[in-house]
């Protein structure tokens, strides 16, 4: 049995954490993995290669999209670039048809989550896809903006936090312990 | 040889590097019998002559002496694991990757928060890890007094409990296979 998985990667720490999360997954089950990476991200591809070196069979592809928000970009202009990113994400998600979308926080992930939800649960244009969000280990007391958006949209099948303090503030979230 | 490894991660933290190379920090490191400082400076731009011309190519390093301490400086390496393993003390920016790698290597760790970064979400992690007694955290201006704390023989760091990604894998299976 295989579960086709799309994984959105963001800059630096996000990719580092995602690589660790992947190392705890059964990669024989969750494959192929379609990585969705912002065009301007140079480091992520290297970090993914590290997983292959761990000797596991690793079936993956890298897809590039336009960045929805750059680090430090003003929130106002981010609205426009996010809308742009949403349009770029539609054909990509439609082509991939993931059964699982795994995201962990960078701005790039919100358009993908919204598109996936709309395509699979509202328009039924792609098969049912689970959306799983893992908040960064850096977020102890407050959600990131991505986390807040997804929590209030209620489109994630599971929204996972890594500190008990966050679980107390966001009772619908899942706390499993420190994952990375 | 007693080595301190200073890392700023993938971006830059010029203020930290300049603080490390200042006289009073070099003095306190010497007092604690350090002989060598390894500086990973990222893409920082520095006035210091020794650091100015370091190439952005990976693994391009320079060595020089200051106040009789041996100093090796570079921007990036393919992996920081070797320098991390050699270190008797790590002084790091507050990035989660740097913090977690240093703790997993069981190193004495002082984390310095960059007060110039606006949305300082990294600060929450450093503060939490400090509360859990895994590390000390400070700022550039307080680095000298924090390093002074390391002289105290009663200062104990708790043994680090690493995260477990298998907990995530198991949970994911429950969600996807029901």
């Amino acid at each position: 049995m295989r579960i086709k998985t799309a994984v959105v990667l963001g800059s630096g720490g996000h990719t580092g954490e995602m690589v660790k999360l992947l190392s705890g997954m059964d990669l024989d089950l969750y494959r192929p993995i379609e990585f969705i990476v912002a065009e301007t991200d140079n480091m992520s591809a290297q970090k993914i290669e590290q997983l292959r070196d761990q000797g596991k069979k690793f079936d993956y592809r890298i897809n590039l999209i336009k960045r929805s928000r750059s680090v430090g970009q003003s929130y106002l202009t981010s609205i426009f670039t996010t809308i742009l990113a949403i349009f770029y994400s539609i054909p990509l998600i439609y082509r991939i048809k993931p059964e699982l979308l795994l995201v962990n926080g960078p701005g790039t992930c919100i358009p993908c989550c919204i598109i996936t939800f709309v395509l699979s649960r509202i328009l039924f244009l792609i098969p049912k896809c689970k959306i799983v969000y893992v908040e960064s280990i850096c977020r102890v007391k407050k959600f990131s903006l991505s986390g807040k958006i997804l929590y209030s949209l209620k489109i994630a099948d599971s929204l996972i936090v890594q500190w008990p303090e966050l679980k107390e503030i966001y009772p619908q979230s899942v706390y499993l312990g420190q994952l990375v | 040889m007693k080595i301190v490894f200073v890392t700023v991660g993938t971006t830059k933290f010029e203020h930290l590097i300049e603080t490390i190379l200042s006289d009073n920090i070099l003095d306190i490191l010497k007092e604690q019998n350090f002989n060598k400082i390894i500086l990973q400076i990222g893409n920082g731009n520095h006035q210091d002559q020794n650091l100015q011309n370091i190439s952005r190519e990976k693994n391009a390093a320079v060595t020089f002496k200051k106040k009789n301490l041996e100093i090796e400086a570079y921007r990036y390496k393919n992996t920081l694991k070797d320098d991390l393993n050699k270190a008797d003390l790590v002084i790091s920016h507050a990035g989660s990757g740097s913090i977690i790698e240093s703790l997993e290597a069981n190193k004495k760790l002082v984390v310095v928060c960059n007060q110039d970064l606006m949305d300082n979400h990294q600060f929450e992690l450093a503060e939490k890890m400090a509360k859990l007694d895994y590390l000390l955290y400070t700022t550039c201006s307080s680095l000298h007094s924090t390093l002074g704390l390391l002289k105290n023989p009663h200062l104990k760091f708790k043994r680090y409990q690493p995260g477990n990604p298998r907990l995530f894998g198991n949970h994911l299976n429950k969600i996807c296979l029901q």
Side-chain angles (χ1 to χ4, degrees):
Chain A
M1 182 187 180
R2 290 212 237 163
I3 297 176
K4 189 172 196 191
T5 303
V7 175
V8 181
L9 295 181
S11 41
H14 290 288
T15 295
E17 290 195 42
M18 187 57 88
V19 166
K20 283 210 164 154
L21 293 175
L22 288 165
S23 75
M25 286 164 57
D26 181 357
L27 296 180
D28 267 337
L29 173 61
Y30 297 97
R31 63 182 175 108
I33 298 193
E34 299 272 355
F35 287 106
I36 299 174
V37 185
E39 275 176 339
T40 47
D41 179 353
N42 298 314
M43 303 287 293
S44 287
Q46 287 182 320
K47 290 198 178 151
I48 295 168
E49 273 304 313
Q50 286 174 19
L51 265 178
R52 198 205 278 289
D53 295 338
Q54 283 177 29
K56 292 182 176 183
K57 178 179 164 65
F58 189 24
D59 178 5
Y60 76 90
R61 237 196 327 194
I62 297 190
N63 304 276
L64 298 179
I65 60 166
K66 298 245 178 278
R67 207 170 192 132
S68 52
R69 176 175 176 264
S70 301
V71 175
Q73 185 182 341
S74 84
Y75 287 112
L76 185 61
T77 58
S78 298
I79 297 174
F80 297 107
T81 49
T82 298
I83 292 174
L84 212 64
I86 289 179
F87 281 109
Y88 281 107
S89 306
I90 296 174
L92 181 61
I93 298 288
Y94 183 74
R95 172 174 63 73
I96 294 175
K97 296 182 178 45
E99 296 165 87
L100 169 65
L101 175 67
L102 191 48
V103 293
N104 75 339
T108 350
C109 78
I110 297 300
C112 289
C113 289
I114 295 173
I115 293 305
T116 302
F117 186 80
V118 169
L119 288 179
S120 81
R121 308 294 185 104
I122 297 182
L123 300 178
F124 303 106
L125 289 174
I126 64 175
K128 183 169 171 189
C129 179
K130 307 255 181 180
I131 297 176
V132 174
Y133 177 86
V134 183
E135 186 60 280
S136 166
I137 188 81
C138 290
R139 304 297 181 159
V140 182
K141 297 189 214 168
K142 307 199 308 269
F143 257 164
S144 61
L145 183 57
S146 300
K148 278 190 207 143
I149 292 173
L150 281 181
Y151 190 83
S152 49
L153 289 179
K154 294 193 198 308
I155 61 178
D157 290 85
S158 193
L159 204 146
I160 301 164
V161 298
Q162 299 193 57
W163 297 102
E165 293 92 319
L166 271 186
K167 165 80 182 169
E168 274 178 47
I169 306 172
Y170 299 99
Q172 303 291 325
S173 67
V174 173
Y175 170 63
L176 304 167
Q178 186 181 335
L179 304 174
V180 302
Chain B
M1 192 162 243
K2 202 173 173 192
I3 300 179
V4 52
F5 177 47
V6 180
T7 172
V8 308
T10 47
T11 51
K12 60 181 174 167
F13 192 177
E14 283 129 355
H15 195 189
L16 174 60
I17 299 296
E18 271 140 35
T19 306
I20 299 281
L21 292 177
S22 66
D23 285 345
N24 70 342
I25 297 294
L26 294 177
D27 285 337
I28 195 171
L29 289 175
K30 277 168 69 178
E31 269 172 50
Q32 295 185 17
N33 300 316
F34 287 96
N35 332 85
K36 180 173 179 177
I37 308 177
I38 301 178
L39 293 176
Q40 182 263 324
I41 70 171
N43 61 13
N45 292 313
H46 292 274
Q47 304 297 354
D48 186 311
Q49 273 189 325
N50 295 297
L51 302 178
Q52 247 176 15
N53 300 315
I54 303 182
S55 153
R56 278 171 165 70
E57 251 178 65
K58 276 212 176 128
N59 305 321
V62 302
T63 49
F64 55 97
K65 275 193 153 182
K66 206 169 180 198
K67 289 212 145 194
N68 247 324
L69 284 160
E70 194 187 312
I71 303 181
E72 177 192 327
Y74 57 87
R75 295 189 181 278
Y76 300 106
K77 276 190 181 171
N78 283 325
T79 171
L80 300 182
K81 278 202 171 20
D82 297 324
D83 288 333
L84 182 60
N85 287 330
K86 283 183 211 169
D88 298 280
L89 170 67
V90 178
I91 301 177
S92 166
H93 79 127
S96 60
S98 300
I99 291 178
I100 291 176
E101 276 175 42
S102 305
L103 291 178
E104 284 178 348
N106 290 309
K107 294 297 168 179
K108 245 183 223 165
L109 177 59
V110 172
V111 171
V112 185
C113 293
N114 188 347
Q115 295 176 299
D116 297 327
L117 281 182
M118 285 195 50
D119 163 33
N120 211 338
H121 64 271
Q122 297 179 334
F123 164 79
E124 273 181 42
L125 179 65
E127 186 191 44
K128 178 70 177 181
M129 293 300 196
K131 282 209 182 103
L132 294 171
D133 292 327
Y134 290 146
L135 52 85
L136 292 176
Y137 88 103
T138 186
T139 57
C140 289
S141 42
S142 307
L143 180 59
H144 189 266
S145 50
T146 304
L147 289 177
L149 296 176
L150 293 175
K151 286 191 298 204
N152 181 350
H154 296 297
L155 178 70
K156 287 268 186 290
F157 291 109
K158 264 219 186 88
R159 188 174 177 84
Y160 179 63
Q161 299 290 335
N164 183 0
R166 268 257 55 112
L167 295 173
F168 170 68
N170 295 338
H171 176 74
L172 198 60
N173 289 347
K174 282 194 207 128
I175 297 172
C176 293
L177 298 176
Q178 41 174 229

